[in-house]
């Protein structure tokens, strides 16, 4: 029975689907700027959205993060994606890579020009990484109903803190335009509907709420949509997270 269950378990995908696949096909040509990523990884999607938003040309290279290649570990010894290679230089860690793209001063900027708003963006980017992302995975991986309720409440509380400091009418964090914090958070907003709702019963946003307007803005954003695969890719890839008490953590493959 155990062998049958294991054989029936979906595997993670190794190729993007839907709109994300169409974007991959537009960025297969050799280029000085290369993004090494995995189609199901939210940390990769952060950098990918940034490139699309800025209109910077690049080459996308799909990597299987569970079979760490020598070319990947040569840049990041931990073998994690995303990785950016720019000429002879390479670097990793999704937030660092987003800031690098900002420093290139190419295309549209995600950080606001005002120093105070930029500092605020960095502060709440840290909140996303330290509190919201870990709460997302704790909720998804929890097996006992009591732990699921506890972690769902924790995730809702951490999101509420972010909403409280966001622009009151939005729909994005700083107002009418997507900015750095939105891109940091966007991949997990996408995965709430595609992963947390089917696996954990995560509720849809209350109609007319500030949260609902933010979610709608993110899900309908063309740069988010162009880097998002079809629902089945996420359902299959995250089954191992939701269905096992000790499952592979996303931070073992990407960050």
């Amino acid at each position: 029975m155990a062998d049958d269950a294991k054989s029936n378990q979906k595997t993670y995908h190794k190729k993007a689907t839907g709109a994300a696949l169409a974007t991959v096909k537009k960025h297969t040509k050799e280029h000085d700027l290369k993004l090494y990523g995995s189609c199901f990884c939210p940390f990769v999607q952060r950098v990918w959205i940034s490139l699309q938003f800025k209109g910077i040309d690049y080459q996308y290279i799909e990597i299987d993060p569970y079979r760490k290649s020598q070319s990947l570990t040569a840049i990041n010894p931990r073998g994690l994606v995303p990785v950016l290679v720019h000429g002879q230089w390479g670097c990793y860690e999704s937030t660092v890579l987003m800031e690098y793209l900002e420093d290139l001063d190419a295309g549209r900027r995600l950080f606001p020009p005002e120093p105070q708003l930029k500092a605020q963006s960095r502060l709440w980017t840290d909140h996303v990484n330290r509190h919201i992302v870990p709460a997302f995975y704790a909720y998804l991986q929890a097996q006992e109903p009591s732990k699921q309720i506890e972690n769902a409440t924790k995730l809702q509380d951490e999101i509420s803190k972010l909403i409280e400091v966001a622009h009151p009418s939005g729909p994005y964090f700083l107002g009418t335009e997507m900015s750095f914090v939105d891109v940091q958070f966007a991949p997990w907003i996408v995965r709430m509907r595609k992963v947390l709702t089917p696996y954990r019963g995560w509720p849809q946003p209350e109609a007319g709420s500030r949260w609902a307007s933010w979610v709608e803005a993110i899900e309908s954003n063309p740069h988010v949509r162009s880097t998002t695969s079809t629902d089945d890719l996420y359902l299959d890839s995250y089954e191992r997270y939701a269905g096992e008490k000790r499952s592979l953590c996303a931070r073992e493959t990407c960050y």
Side-chain angles (χ1 to χ4, degrees):
M1 291 294 292
D3 289 341
D4 289 342
K6 186 175 181 180
S7 65
N8 289 331
Q9 187 182 61
K10 301 293 195 306
T11 185
Y12 61 94
H13 286 233
K14 301 170 187 175
K15 183 179 180 181
T17 60
L21 178 58
T23 302
V24 169
K25 290 179 178 179
K26 294 176 183 176
H27 294 277
T28 57
K29 292 183 180 179
E30 180 70 23
H31 196 277
D32 194 47
L33 180 62
K34 296 175 172 61
L35 171 61
Y36 290 83
S38 297
C39 58
F40 62 87
C41 176
F43 298 96
V44 169
Q45 192 175 13
R46 282 175 166 174
V47 184
W48 205 2
I49 293 169
S50 299
L51 287 164
Q52 291 291 109
F53 175 88
K54 290 174 173 294
I56 299 174
D57 199 13
Y58 63 95
Q59 179 184 0
Y60 181 91
I61 301 171
E62 183 73 22
I63 291 290
D64 182 345
Y66 295 104
R67 297 173 183 253
K68 305 182 192 306
S69 67
Q70 188 174 357
S71 60
L72 185 66
T73 55
I75 302 164
N76 182 354
R78 295 171 65 196
L80 307 182
V81 288
V83 162
L84 271 184
V85 173
H86 201 178
Q88 299 301 311
W89 175 88
C91 196
Y92 50 96
E93 304 282 354
S94 60
T95 301
V96 172
L97 298 182
M98 283 180 61
E99 293 213 22
Y100 174 72
L101 293 175
E102 284 287 288
D103 290 339
L104 291 179
D105 201 21
R108 300 161 64 192
R109 298 192 66 81
L110 286 165
F111 272 134
E114 299 85 357
Q116 292 86 357
L117 285 180
K118 187 181 291 187
Q120 182 185 14
S121 296
R122 287 195 167 105
L123 179 67
W124 289 100
T125 284
D126 186 67
H127 178 79
V128 171
N129 287 324
R130 287 179 181 266
H131 302 288
I132 292 179
V133 172
F136 177 99
Y137 289 113
Y139 178 32
L140 179 61
Q141 293 180 288
Q143 300 300 299
E144 293 78 13
S146 61
K147 283 294 183 181
Q148 291 177 9
I149 294 171
E150 177 185 331
N151 287 309
T153 301
K154 171 68 172 175
L155 178 57
Q156 290 170 332
D157 289 346
E158 298 302 342
I159 292 171
S160 293
K161 292 175 186 176
L162 193 60
I163 293 171
E164 287 173 5
V165 299
H167 189 280
S169 57
Y172 294 106
F173 181 70
L174 293 179
T176 58
E177 299 293 328
M178 175 178 271
S179 65
F180 201 90
V181 174
D182 299 296
V183 178
Q184 283 277 304
F185 192 16
W188 286 271
I189 291 179
V190 168
R191 285 158 180 77
M192 285 174 187
R193 188 187 300 274
K194 294 181 181 294
V195 177
L196 287 187
T197 295
Y199 281 125
R200 291 292 179 261
W202 177 258
Q204 297 306 308
E206 182 181 350
S209 67
R210 179 64 180 87
W211 174 230
S213 66
W214 199 354
V215 170
E216 182 180 1
I218 292 296
E219 290 183 334
S220 63
N221 183 277
H223 311 299
V224 175
R225 291 175 68 89
S226 70
T227 58
T228 299
S229 289
T230 52
D231 290 1
D232 61 307
L233 180 143
Y234 301 103
L235 282 171
D236 293 349
S237 298
Y238 281 84
E239 185 183 53
R240 62 181 60 204
Y241 295 75
E244 299 178 5
K245 290 186 177 181
R246 292 184 59 84
S247 56
L248 290 167
C249 175
R251 288 177 181 269
E252 293 178 2
T253 62
C254 54
Y255 185 68

